[in-house]
Amino acid sequence: MSEIVKFTIDGKEYEGVKGQLLVEVAAEKGIYIPVLCHWKGVKPAGSCRICSVKVNGRFMAGCTTPLEADMKIENDTPEILDIRKAIVEMLFVEGNHFCPSCEKSGNCDLQALGYRYQMMVPRFPYEFERRDIDASSPKLIIEKNRCIFCKRCVRMIKDEQGKSYFAFKGRGKHLQISLDKKLAVTMSEENAHKAMDACPVGCILRKEVGFAVPIGKRKYDHVSIGTDIEKLNK
Ligand code: FES
C-alpha cells in the first residue's frame, strides 16, 4: 500500500506518495521542475542535471530522487535557477546549435529552456566540435551536432526483440550518437516518429517533414516551457 508523506517545496507544505520521483510529485502539484533526459515511465538516466534541486540542503537530481518524509525541497531559488541556466549554457557550447536553421526550432526543449532562463551569451567558451550528419537511414536524419546525450532514444526506441536502434560510440569528446544501420532499414513508421518526438532537440529528424509547422504555430511560440504546469498552481 502506498504511504503518504509530508514534504515542502520552497517552504510550502504538501503531501505525496513516498517513493515517487520528485519531478513527478512536483508536476502533480503544479510545480515545474525542468527535465531534458527524463521521460515519464522510462527508467531515469539522471544524465543532464537540469532537474537539479536542493533536498535538505544537498543538490540532487529531481528525476532520480524518490520522495521521502519531511524532505525540504528548494526549487525556485536564485541559486538553483542559475545552476539550471549554466547547464543550458553548457549544452549550447558543447554542441553546435544554430536555432534559426534548425527544423526543431520552436519545438525544441533546449531552446525553450534557453528562453526561460534568459540565456544571452554563454559564460563558457564554445567547443565547436565537428560531428557528422548521418542521413543514410531511409526514415531519419541524425544531426549529431545537436545531440545533448540525454539517451532518451537509446532507452526508448527498441525493436520487437528489445534491441535499441540507437547507441553511443566513442569516448569523452568523441562520444557520438549513432543509429544501427541494419536495424534502421526495417524501422517502422511508428518508431521513426517516436524517435523524433523523444529527442528533446533537433538531433533526430523524420525525413521529409522538416519545417512542417509554420512559425507562430510551433509548440513554444505562444507559451514558454513549464508555463502550463504553473497555470495549474494558480
Ligand atoms: Fe533529471 Fe536529466 S532530467 S538529470
Side-chain angles (χ1 to χ4, degrees), residues 38-212:
H38 185 67
W39 191 280
K40 196 170 179 186
V42 177
K43 195 174 171 208
S47 55
C48 75
R49 309 317 259 197
I50 195 72
C51 63
S52 292
V53 287
K54 253 185 174 177
V55 179
N56 300 339
R58 294 180 59 188
F59 286 107
M60 312 283 273
C63 72
T64 56
T65 307
L67 182 68
E68 301 270 356
D70 303 323
M71 275 183 160
K72 290 187 175 42
I73 301 158
E74 291 171 55
N75 175 52
D76 196 6
T77 67
E79 182 186 33
I80 289 165
L81 297 183
D82 189 57
I83 284 169
R84 291 178 186 159
K85 184 177 181 181
I87 290 168
V88 172
E89 290 174 8
M90 270 188 247
L91 291 169
F92 265 95
V93 302
E94 188 275 337
N96 296 307
H97 300 273
F98 303 109
C99 296
S101 62
C102 178
E103 295 86 338
K104 200 76 177 270
S105 185
N107 294 306
C108 168
D109 290 353
L110 180 66
Q111 182 194 44
L113 287 169
Y115 282 120
R116 183 177 178 104
Y117 296 119
Q118 298 176 0
M119 188 189 95
M120 300 300 280
V121 179
R123 68 195 84 176
F124 309 104
Y126 281 95
E127 297 278 325
F128 294 124
E129 194 66 32
R130 285 188 68 172
R131 299 186 193 133
D132 298 338
I133 299 172
D134 177 3
S136 61
S137 123
K139 295 195 173 73
L140 296 175
I141 297 170
I142 313 300
E143 218 304 10
K144 299 180 185 181
N145 291 290
R146 301 172 185 160
C147 179
I148 57 166
F149 306 100
C150 68
K151 276 196 180 167
R152 275 188 186 175
C153 56
V154 179
R155 289 177 289 149
M156 291 171 62
I157 316 302
K158 300 186 178 181
D159 71 3
E160 278 153 17
Q161 278 72 47
K163 198 162 179 242
S164 187
Y165 286 90
F166 294 89
F168 283 117
K169 288 203 171 135
R171 306 181 71 174
K173 263 176 86 102
H174 305 295
L175 189 69
Q176 293 196 7
I177 189 70
S178 73
L179 173 60
D180 186 306
K181 289 200 186 327
K182 277 195 195 141
L183 282 183
V185 174
T186 56
M187 185 180 242
S188 67
E189 199 62 40
E190 191 194 342
N191 267 335
H193 276 281
K194 205 169 139 194
M196 187 173 78
D197 292 343
C199 180
V201 290
C203 172
I204 302 174
L205 301 164
R206 180 72 181 88
K207 279 185 176 171
E208 299 166 12
V209 293
F211 305 106

